[in-house]
Amino acid sequence: MHDDRSTGADRASATKASSRQPRADAARRTYLLSAALTAFAALGLVRLDLDAFPSVGWAMPVWAVAALAVAGALMVFDVEFRSETYTFTFAELVLVLGLFFATPASLIVGRLGGELLFLTIRERQPLRKLSMNLSAFFAETVVLFTVQQALMPEMDAREPRSWLVALVAVVAAELVGFSAVATAVRWHGGPLTFRSILQIGLVTAPANTSLALVICVLLDAEPLAVPLLGGVAVFLLVTYRSYSALRQRYESLSLLYDFTHLVSGAREPDEVLDAMLNQAKDLLRAERAEFWLQRGDDVYQRHVVDDEGHSSSRLSIPAGLAQLVADGLADRHDAVLLARGEPTRPSSALGDLGARDALVAPILEGDLLIGFVVVANRLSDIYTFVNQDARIFGTLASHAGVALQNGRLIQRLHEQARQREHEALHDPLTGLPNRAQFADRLERRFDDLGHREIAIALMDLDGFKEINDTLGHQSGDRVLVEVAARLQEVVDDDTLAVRLGGDEFALLAPPRATRAGLEATCGAIRRAIGAPIDIDGIHVTMGVSIGLALAPHDGATAETLIRCADVAMYAAKSGSGSGVCFYDADYDENTPRRLTLAHELRTALEARQLHAVFQPKIALATGRVTGVEALCRWEHPTLGTVMPDEFIPLADRIGASGELTALMLSTSIEQVERWEAAGQRLDVAVNVSMQALVDPGLVETVRRLLADSTIEPRRLTLEITETNVMSDAERTLGVLGELAAVGVRLSIDDFGTGYS
């Protein structure tokens, strides 16, 4: 046996085949090397004894040597491993038998003639390869006889020393051939590993030489025994071929398993397709692999993997491939086999692919054909793709189709998840980040606070409700979109602008922001938003109130800072700071003290912690006390005296104004009665809040308290502020009429302040 990679790769097509044309300089070098080998062999030939006759007394004729050379070249078997094809022949038989039974001239002429016949008729090698191989054979044969005649001119098949000389001569000859062919292969870019091929050659050359020596001994001693040895050799050859086929199937299944395992973990369609192309290229020992994914009616995305790397292009499907698809590619379980030399297959498809042979398999998503995958150019000049390859490739494409479908499903799920995440963190109307993202970013800023300040601004549009009520909510939405766009134009990329909801917006300033910079930004925002907005030919002008708060000065938590900015914003809306206001504790009505008082006020009413003090009314003309005004005071057990301007608004807020008014009325009437019993006749005035004034039970409470007392109704005066009366005139005027009917006196407090 003989590894053709080591002594004549091209003569038996053992090297890795390539469809790419050789580079011009490599071809030129090959011709020069062929000429050099021929010249070297010619010089050596001059020094040979061409008339040396075999010791057996008879010589093999030229035609027998040629026939033996052809037979040795035909008796081959190949082992394909990954992308390499190793071809083993019996070429040593010709060399060894020629040493013992042929003259140098007969061996040279016969071998070159037989190899020429084989390479031109069977292999159809181009002139470049043919000249290279023949010159290498010529040099090998000359080196063979040169070494033999130098070491042992007379060879004897029964002499052990002759066997050793034959082995040395054969190895020397093959080293010359291997070196020449290896050099040419390297020039043409072939992936030749000198060390591995040399190691294989050092094993196979002695084995083949030993077999040839046994045949020589039998021919010399007992020629009739040679057929017996030939039968053993044929048996070993058939057995090893079966082993090679079985090993090839195992490797294919192993690579198919590796591919299945690989794509099962892939998550993106591109990963699946890239994995498939790389694995298919190795699995089927192809020069290149490519997939075509449909992007339109006849437009495909083509991606190619070959020795040059990856390439991608978008193109229309050629007619030959289009016909192959139309012929029912999606209905096939196996791949379509486009083998070499089969006229029944559409040659136009091979032409479209630029290939000698190919396999084409469908890529399906469910029952829908979405593309196809191709492996082209089997890496062998001897073998082409076969039906077994088509079945394996079809299985691989089927696995890839399922993996691709799963990958696309996962990709769609990821896209939907990203879309849902975007929707959860952005306002659908304006596209700005929303309240959830603002809270999250603010919380993270507090987590990384360190010594840096955090500045936020809350903004509320002025007069937006009137636009909604007048022009409709659709126009209001257009205003909000325009405001959001102007807001984004003003702030920089490091500032987070959000829509909190309704007509409320917010800013999260960058850490480097200063108070002066914030004021300047807010001023620019007010000017930008204050510019007229065209709504279907109607120009509307918006104002905006902005409240700012800084951490850690105004609040140590995100929630507190937002509340402080909200307080500042309402302070700005009420007129403080010309529409832009920083937080100040004086603006804050919702302090912890107020929250505590609001919680304890109702209990204080039940425990009668609130009492009345009376302020006298003196006639300026006489200096006489004519009456008193009842004022409410709260003596808190821990906070001390609480003044009315602090707890009366709290009573309105918690709905305790009616109870507080009833307490003041009863206390005042009782005190007037006590003064009258003591001989002091005085009238009393009691303030009534807006919430108490619209209380349906107020009139009945006044009527009951007066009925239970001894004083006349006209001695009780109820003081009502002008703004309270006019805020809901229809209701309050009715209540005032009922009170007047009871007989009490009514007084307008703060007259003229409301211009009513």
Side-chain angles (χ1 to χ4, degrees), residues 18-32 128-129 182-191 308:
S18 172
S19 65
R20 294 189 301 272
Q21 293 297 322
R23 294 175 300 179
D25 59 341
R28 184 169 56 254
R29 289 181 182 181
T30 302
Y31 283 120
L32 291 176
R128 173 177 49 85
K129 286 187 176 183
T183 301
V185 171
R186 292 295 294 271
W187 285 345
H188 286 77
E308 302 298 325

Side-chain angles (χ1 to χ4, degrees), residues 112-351:
L112 291 179
E115 294 288 359
L116 177 63
L117 186 66
F118 176 79
L119 295 178
T120 53
I121 297 177
R122 171 65 185 271
E123 294 297 304
R124 299 180 181 178
Q125 287 192 354
L127 180 61
R128 173 177 49 85
K129 286 187 176 183
L130 184 64
S131 62
M132 179 69 230
N133 285 322
L134 290 179
S135 61
F137 295 147
F138 185 20
E140 285 179 5
T141 310
V142 171
V143 169
L144 176 80
F145 278 110
T146 300
V147 173
Q148 175 259 315
Q149 291 183 5
L151 296 179
M152 191 174 181
E154 295 293 333
M155 298 288 287
D156 187 351
R158 301 186 186 185
E159 175 62 39
R161 197 162 69 91
S162 296
W163 303 343
L164 181 60
V165 171
L167 177 60
V168 172
V170 168
V171 171
E174 293 199 345
L175 283 176
V176 172
F178 166 72
S179 300
V181 175
T183 301
V185 171
R186 292 295 294 271
W187 285 345
H188 286 77
L192 192 64
T193 305
F194 284 96
R195 182 175 180 181
S196 61
I197 302 303
L198 184 60
Q199 289 175 345
I200 294 175
L202 292 176
V203 172
T204 58
N208 290 340
T209 302
S210 299
L211 176 62
L213 288 172
V214 171
I215 295 176
C216 289
V217 172
L218 291 178
L219 283 174
D220 188 25
E222 189 61 50
L224 295 178
V226 173
L228 298 177
L229 186 60
V232 174
V234 170
F235 171 75
L236 292 176
L237 179 62
V238 172
T239 302
Y240 198 82
R241 279 186 172 178
S242 300
Y243 164 75
S244 298
L246 183 62
R247 180 180 177 83
Q248 181 179 341
R249 292 181 183 178
Y250 169 77
E251 291 174 356
S252 299
L253 291 175
S254 177
L255 286 172
L256 183 60
Y257 169 79
D258 292 341
F259 169 77
T260 305
H261 179 70
L262 181 63
V263 299
S264 66
R267 289 295 179 263
E268 298 293 336
D270 289 345
E271 295 179 14
V272 174
L273 294 172
D274 281 343
M276 178 184 183
L277 294 185
N278 284 289
Q279 207 74 356
K281 185 172 174 290
D282 289 338
L283 177 65
L284 296 168
R285 290 169 290 278
E287 179 186 283
R288 74 174 188 269
E290 56 191 66
F291 65 76
W292 298 61
L293 283 185
Q294 192 167 15
R295 300 302 187 192
D297 292 339
D298 62 345
V299 177
Y300 282 73
Q301 185 73 34
R302 182 192 186 204
H303 188 74
V304 180
V305 173
D306 56 18
D307 290 340
E308 302 298 325
H310 295 246
S311 61
S312 185
S313 58
R314 194 181 182 97
L315 69 165
S316 298
I317 184 172
L321 287 177
Q323 184 61 44
L324 192 65
V325 173
D327 287 343
L329 182 64
D331 299 329
R332 298 181 59 89
H333 296 290
D334 298 337
V336 175
L337 173 61
L338 306 176
R340 298 179 213 171
E342 289 192 15
T344 58
R345 293 297 182 189
S347 59
S348 58
L350 283 176

Side-chain angles (χ1 to χ4, degrees), residues 284 286 337 339 357-359 375-378 383-387 389:
L284 296 168
L337 173 61
D357 51 3
L359 293 171
V375 289
N377 292 339
R378 181 70 177 268
Y383 295 104
T384 184
F385 296 113
V386 296
N387 290 328
D389 297 325

Side-chain angles (χ1 to χ4, degrees), residues 518-537:
L518 292 171
E519 290 178 343
T521 300
C522 291
I525 290 173
R526 283 177 55 81
R527 289 190 296 273
I529 294 178
I533 301 174
D534 187 350
I535 304 295
D536 296 330

